[in-house]
């Protein structure tokens, strides 16, 4: 038994990295999608951390509501947003991890933000100041 990565998976990952290093349009589109998502979230006052990467942590601040939000997004909207809870993050900083890709469209991002807003209100989660 091993937890190491299978050689075929490692080769696929390496090929993907090499491709993305040489493919400017895909990198540019992903960066634009990340900026678009962050701007859309800022306009709704849904709190997120801007760490300067493609990962956009949405701060929920409550483990039960974080899991409930993730469940609502998946079951009612068909969107997967990974909940990150203690001990991965400190208690009170629970979050959803969003990672926009180059293949997401503006419409998809808008649908996500609208689903977040509706679910946020339903769960009575605190908004950013």
């Amino acid at each position: 038994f091993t937890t190491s990565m299978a050689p075929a998976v490692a080769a696929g990952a390496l090929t993907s990295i090499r491709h993305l290093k040489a493919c400017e349009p895909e990198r540019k589109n992903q960066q634009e999608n990340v900026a678009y998502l962050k701007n859309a979230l800022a306009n709704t006052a849904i709190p997120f951390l801007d760490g300067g990467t493609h990962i956009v942590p949405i701060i929920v601040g409550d483990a039960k509501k974080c899991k409930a939000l993730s469940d609502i997004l998946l079951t009612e909207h068909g969107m997967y947003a990974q909940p990150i809870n203690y001990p991965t993050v400190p208690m009170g900083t629970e979050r959803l991890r969003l990672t926009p890709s180059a293949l997401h469209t503006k419409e998809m991002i808008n649908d996500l933000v609208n689903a977040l807003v509706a679910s946020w209100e339903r769960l009575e989660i605190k908004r950013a100041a």
Side-chain angles (χ1 to χ4, degrees):
F1 179 77
T2 180
T3 58
S4 65
M5 186 181 297
V9 174
L14 182 59
T15 300
S16 294
I17 291 167
R18 287 180 178 147
H19 169 75
L20 290 174
K21 284 177 77 172
C23 189
E24 183 63 29
E26 289 171 347
R27 290 196 326 263
K28 182 177 180 257
N29 196 38
Q30 185 202 27
Q31 291 168 355
E32 289 174 357
N33 284 344
V34 171
Y36 186 86
L37 174 61
K38 289 177 181 179
N39 185 56
L41 290 170
N43 289 335
T44 66
I46 289 181
F48 67 95
L49 297 177
D50 189 355
T53 72
H54 68 289
I55 298 170
V56 183
I58 307 294
I59 304 302
V60 178
D62 178 286
K64 288 182 182 177
K65 288 184 179 184
C66 188
K67 176 70 168 101
L69 181 58
S70 176
D71 290 346
I72 289 169
L73 289 173
L74 183 60
T75 60
E76 296 180 19
H77 301 279
M79 302 171 184
Y80 179 69
Q82 182 177 11
I84 310 296
N85 293 318
Y86 176 84
T88 304
V89 297
M91 285 188 211
T93 67
E94 294 82 4
R95 60 198 70 182
L96 295 180
R97 180 174 25 211
L98 304 180
T99 52
S101 77
L103 300 179
H104 286 108
T105 65
K106 302 293 187 262
E107 181 182 6
M108 290 171 159
I109 294 170
N110 290 335
D111 289 346
L112 169 64
V113 171
N114 290 334
L116 277 169
V117 167
S119 303
W120 209 268
E121 291 171 359
R122 178 170 151 191
L123 294 171
E124 299 178 348
I125 302 170
K126 184 178 176 182
R127 298 245 188 154

